[in-house]
Amino acid sequence: MRQLRWGIFWLAAVVILATVPVKADVLDKTMKVGGTAVHYKVVLPKNYDAGKAYPGILGFGGGPQTMNVVDNVIARNFRDEAEKRGYIVVVPAAPNDDLFFEAGASIFPEFLKQILADYKIRDNKFHIAGPSNRGISAFHVASLNPDYFLSITAFPGYLWEETPAHIAAISKMCISMFVGELDPMGWQPLMQKQAAEFRAKGMTATYTVEKGQPHRLDTLAGANAARLFDLFDQAKSGCGK
């Protein structure tokens, strides 16, 4: 009887494990860029094939842009949809605590060149995205390295160096800007004005106010992160036109 009972438990365990969805692999990695150690994580699609090209996303952590924040943004905004849709997501932590819209931007484009050597990214171009400091970082890094990006998605975020050269650099990218209706940071007027200026220059830029949301947007997290990936998918064929 005891053997039968253990056999039943074992069979049940096998069935449960077989029905648990296989999550996308998340790799913890480090590379040297000009003598600086850069810690980053890579989300690989389920059943990843190193010989196949995948669409890629460069994401950023917010606030201090530490590895704890990297883990959070992967879990909150990127991992599940990357698994479903077959994306590679790369999220670096700020090297030496230098934020990516400041001195941390110096690791590019060398960091991207190494990622492209390690993984096949479709057309050698990424979508770049992030919230808050991450959104500002996305705009900044894309404006300094335009040859590597298809789209910019900031939720929230804006181009803080609004010079003609920086604007021209991102003019061919699909730009999506989101901000909470109740955002206490007061970014709404700035982002709305900037998006309007982009459109006036013939750029593809959208500005969306998320109803009832504060600075941290739950409407683009968890299951709602599908909205972000819809934008990435659209950018592959001309910003959804």
Side-chain angles (χ1 to χ4, degrees):
M1 179 64 73
R2 178 176 296 178
Q3 289 179 336
L4 177 60
R5 187 161 56 244
W6 278 111
I8 292 172
F9 288 161
W10 178 85
L11 180 60
V14 169
V15 171
I16 291 171
L17 288 173
T19 58
V20 172
V22 177
K23 299 296 288 184
D25 287 334
V26 180
L27 308 180
D28 193 344
K29 308 196 75 173
T30 302
M31 80 165 67
K32 281 290 186 99
V33 178
T36 298
V38 182
H39 303 286
Y40 62 103
K41 292 202 172 180
V42 179
V43 181
L44 296 179
K46 185 172 59 177
N47 300 320
Y48 170 69
D49 178 354
K52 177 183 174 183
Y54 295 88
I57 299 168
L58 178 68
F60 291 111
Q65 299 184 331
T66 61
M67 190 55 75
N68 285 340
V69 182
V70 167
D71 290 336
N72 180 267
V73 75
I74 287 174
R76 181 174 165 80
N77 300 109
F78 294 129
R79 183 174 181 176
D80 287 348
E81 286 298 318
E83 175 190 352
K84 292 177 185 176
R85 305 195 194 203
Y87 276 74
I88 293 175
V89 183
V90 180
V91 187
N96 300 324
D97 299 324
D98 291 326
L99 302 181
F100 287 113
F101 57 87
E102 298 175 336
S106 64
I107 69 168
F108 303 103
E110 284 73 17
F111 179 83
L112 295 171
K113 290 178 181 177
Q114 185 58 54
I115 294 298
L116 291 173
D118 292 342
Y119 304 99
K120 291 183 180 295
I121 301 298
R122 188 174 297 163
D123 300 323
N124 292 325
K125 289 182 179 288
F126 298 83
H127 307 279
I128 188 168
S132 193
N133 278 353
R134 294 163 272 193
I136 296 174
S137 296
F139 268 106
H140 185 62
V141 172
S143 71
L144 296 178
N145 305 275
D147 292 341
Y148 292 89
F149 299 104
L150 287 169
S151 72
I152 304 169
T153 305
F155 49 105
Y158 55 90
L159 180 65
W160 74 274
E161 282 193 294
E162 199 175 3
T163 68
H166 283 82
I167 294 172
I170 63 173
S171 62
K172 303 302 182 184
M173 301 178 200
C174 310
I175 298 171
S176 301
M177 305 167 74
F178 295 87
V179 68
E181 179 186 24
L182 308 178
D183 190 333
M185 304 289 286
W187 290 8
Q188 298 94 329
L190 173 60
M191 291 176 60
Q192 183 178 25
K193 177 175 178 291
Q194 195 169 80
E197 290 172 348
F198 290 160
R199 289 193 296 271
K201 295 178 182 296
M203 298 164 62
T204 302
T206 62
Y207 168 76
T208 305
V209 177
E210 297 294 297
K211 297 297 184 182
Q213 292 293 296
H215 193 69
R216 190 170 187 256
L217 301 179
D218 289 335
T219 49
L220 295 172
N224 296 322
R227 296 175 61 198
L228 299 175
F229 280 76
D230 287 345
L231 294 172
F232 303 149
D233 286 346
Q234 289 170 6
K236 292 183 292 186
S237 57
C239 308
K241 292 180 181 179

